[in-house]
């Protein structure tokens, strides 16, 4: 009798027997840096999250260090886009400028990562070289990813985060980095990235509209499948990924678990914009306690096997964590 309740009786007992703990050390904060603005602009689709100018992004990073957060991931929003997304590898492109400013201010007190993709930079809004009517050219895109990786490495990034889901992207990027002597720059691969409706608020945040009302189903994964995740993850590890990522998080905890049981590299999970926005909206209308739900969800992501989480909640909940 009462076997299960005995160990739940006091907070100290519960702490003692808890299997999972969420720590500030597990959190990576996404940061949007927009070219051509001189003060931060709040993103309506992501309340409490801002498009930063380079200076305010740098200040924000210093605040994150004070909060104990170990990592950030930079997303650039260029002033103008073109067919190939050339601002993504321009040494004066917004992401490169932001990386180098931030890195010179924070040195090694913060791990600075950068999303490595083209969708914020292409006029098509696709993650690669778009060929009408409806697909991207995988191999032509890989050549451009290699250029972006080098530009981000030159700017001083610690880890690049290829998120475009082109086949072979990790291998091509690893080769390019090694060839140019950037052997210490790591790769956090968005390995199992699903074609999800939960990226809606993010696309608003980075000003991306996909050409012709299109979608990314030809390169992002189908949410009805799990086996291909393992295939994608193992391929990325084989090609040199230092960290593999599952994205989104909450609706894909089975995939986080699958990944963590099958690879020895660390597994990251991205609690994406739609996941953040849903909690914020329900909190704003009084239905739930947003911070409590955030901590519950992020802890569940760890319980599933992730060792780090990319989350817009990082600066808001860090002080609530032990
Ligand atoms: C691609 C990228 C996306 C996100 C991160 N990297 C958008 C997409 O694939 O459509 C989404 C992140 C989020 O929703 O929080 N550059």
């Amino acid at each position: 009798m009462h076997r299960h309740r005995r160990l739940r009786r006091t907070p100290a007992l519960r702490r003692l027997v808890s299997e999972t703990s969420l720590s500030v050390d597990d959190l990576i904060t996404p940061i949007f840096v927009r070219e051509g603005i001189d003060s931060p602009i709040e993103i309506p689709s992501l309340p409490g999250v801002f498009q930063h100018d380079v200076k305010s992004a740098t200040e924000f990073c210093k605040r994150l260090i004070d909060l104990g957060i170990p990592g950030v991931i930079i997303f650039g929003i260029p002033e103008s886009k073109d067919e190939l997304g050339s601002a993504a590898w321009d040494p004066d492109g917004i992401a490169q400028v932001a990386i180098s400013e931030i890195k010179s201010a924070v040195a090694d007190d913060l791990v600075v990562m950068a999303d490595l993709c083209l969708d914020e930079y292409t006029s098509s809004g696709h993650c690669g070289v778009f060929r009408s009517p409806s697909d991207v050219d995988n191999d032509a895109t890989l050549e451009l990813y290699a250029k972006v990786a080098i530009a981000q490495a030159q700017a001083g990034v610690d880890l690049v985060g290829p998120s475009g889901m082109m086949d072979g992207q990790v291998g091509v990027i690893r080769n390019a980095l090694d060839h140019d002597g950037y052997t210490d720059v790591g790769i956090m691969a968005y390995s199992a990235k699903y074609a999800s409706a939960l990226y809606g608020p993010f696309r608003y945040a980075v000003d991306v509209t996909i050409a012709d009302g299109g979608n990314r189903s030809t390169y992002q994964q189908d949410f009805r499948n799990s086996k291909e995740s393992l295939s994608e993850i193992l391929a990325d590890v084989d090609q040199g990924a230092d960290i593999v990522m599952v994205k989104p998080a909450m609706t894909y905890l089975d995939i986080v678990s699958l990944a963590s049981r099958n690879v020895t590299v660390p597994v990251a999970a991205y609690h994406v914009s739609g996941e953040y926005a849903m909690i914020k909206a329900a909190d704003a209308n009084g239905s739930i306690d947003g911070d409590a739900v955030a901590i519950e969800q992020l802890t569940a992501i760890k319980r599933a096997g992730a060792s780090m989480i990319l989350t817009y909640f990082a600066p808001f909940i860090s002080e609530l964590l032990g």
Side-chain angles (χ1 to χ4, degrees):
M1 276 278 275
H2 296 188
R3 184 159 87 82
H4 292 104
R5 291 190 50 189
R6 245 181 331 253
L7 295 179
R8 295 177 193 149
R9 203 166 48 79
T10 69
L13 270 168
R14 292 196 293 275
R15 268 198 296 137
L16 197 62
V17 300
S18 68
E19 297 167 15
T20 310
S21 59
L22 181 68
S23 154
V24 68
D25 294 339
D26 308 322
L27 305 180
I28 298 166
T29 309
I31 301 185
F32 300 106
V33 190
R34 180 170 160 187
E35 192 172 29
I37 60 171
D38 49 24
S39 60
I41 301 172
E42 189 167 10
I43 300 163
S45 60
L46 294 170
V49 181
F50 292 80
Q51 291 178 335
H52 286 277
D53 58 280
V54 174
K55 191 160 163 284
S56 74
T58 309
E59 292 309 313
F60 185 48
C61 286
K62 291 184 191 157
R63 196 160 74 75
L64 295 175
I65 293 171
D66 291 341
L67 291 170
I69 291 169
V72 296
I73 182 161
I74 307 287
F75 293 89
I77 310 164
E79 228 164 358
S80 56
K81 305 177 190 247
D82 61 26
E83 200 186 326
L84 294 180
S86 61
W89 64 85
D90 180 343
D92 296 323
I94 184 65
Q96 281 66 258
V97 173
I99 292 164
S100 91
E101 282 286 319
I102 290 169
K103 207 57 203 169
S104 62
V106 304
D108 285 339
D109 292 341
L110 190 66
V111 179
V112 175
M113 315 181 196
D115 189 74
L116 195 170
C117 199
L118 293 172
D119 60 326
E120 294 92 1
Y121 303 90
T122 52
S123 33
S124 68
H126 275 289
C127 297
V129 180
F130 184 54
R131 304 259 188 251
S132 235
S134 67
D135 206 357
V136 290
D137 182 329
N138 192 91
D139 296 0
T141 302
L142 293 182
E143 290 176 30
L144 304 184
Y145 284 180
K147 288 161 69 143
V148 182
I150 297 303
Q152 293 180 343
Q154 261 161 0
V157 84
D158 293 307
L159 291 146
V160 296
S163 65
M165 291 298 284
M166 294 302 127
D167 274 340
Q169 62 185 13
V170 172
V172 165
I173 290 168
R174 185 69 268 158
N175 279 340
L177 290 170
D178 288 347
H179 179 267
D180 281 25
Y182 295 110
T183 48
D184 285 344
V185 174
I187 301 177
M188 176 177 67
Y190 289 64
S191 302
K193 175 170 172 179
Y194 282 86
S196 170
L198 289 162
Y199 309 146
F202 172 93
R203 292 192 187 150
Y204 188 95
V206 294
D207 184 28
V208 167
T209 311
I210 305 175
D212 306 326
N215 59 57
R216 303 199 166 143
S217 302
T218 58
Y219 44 102
Q220 298 182 348
Q221 288 177 225
D222 186 323
F223 56 74
R224 290 169 291 199
N225 300 340
S226 69
K227 287 182 187 157
E228 64 180 327
S229 279
L230 192 53
S231 167
E232 291 270 11
I233 287 165
L234 294 176
D236 281 0
V237 171
D238 198 44
Q239 290 169 38
D242 300 288
I243 298 169
V244 293
M245 192 207 295
V246 174
K247 177 181 170 205
M250 287 311 295
T251 22
Y252 300 89
L253 292 184
D254 56 330
I255 310 299
V256 174
S257 172
L258 186 69
S260 76
R261 285 182 282 110
N262 283 283
V263 296
T264 53
V265 299
V267 174
Y270 199 145
H271 190 258
V272 301
S273 58
E275 300 179 280
Y276 174 85
M278 286 194 292
I279 294 177
K280 283 290 187 187
D283 178 89
N285 74 21
S287 304
I288 60 171
D289 173 344
D291 285 349
V293 172
I295 287 174
E296 182 177 333
Q297 291 199 355
L298 299 174
T299 305
I301 296 165
K302 279 211 73 187
R303 192 190 63 227
S307 42
M308 65 194 92
I309 306 167
L310 296 82
T311 172
Y312 303 93
F313 278 108
F316 303 109
I317 58 155
S318 59
E319 282 167 323
L320 302 174
L321 304 178

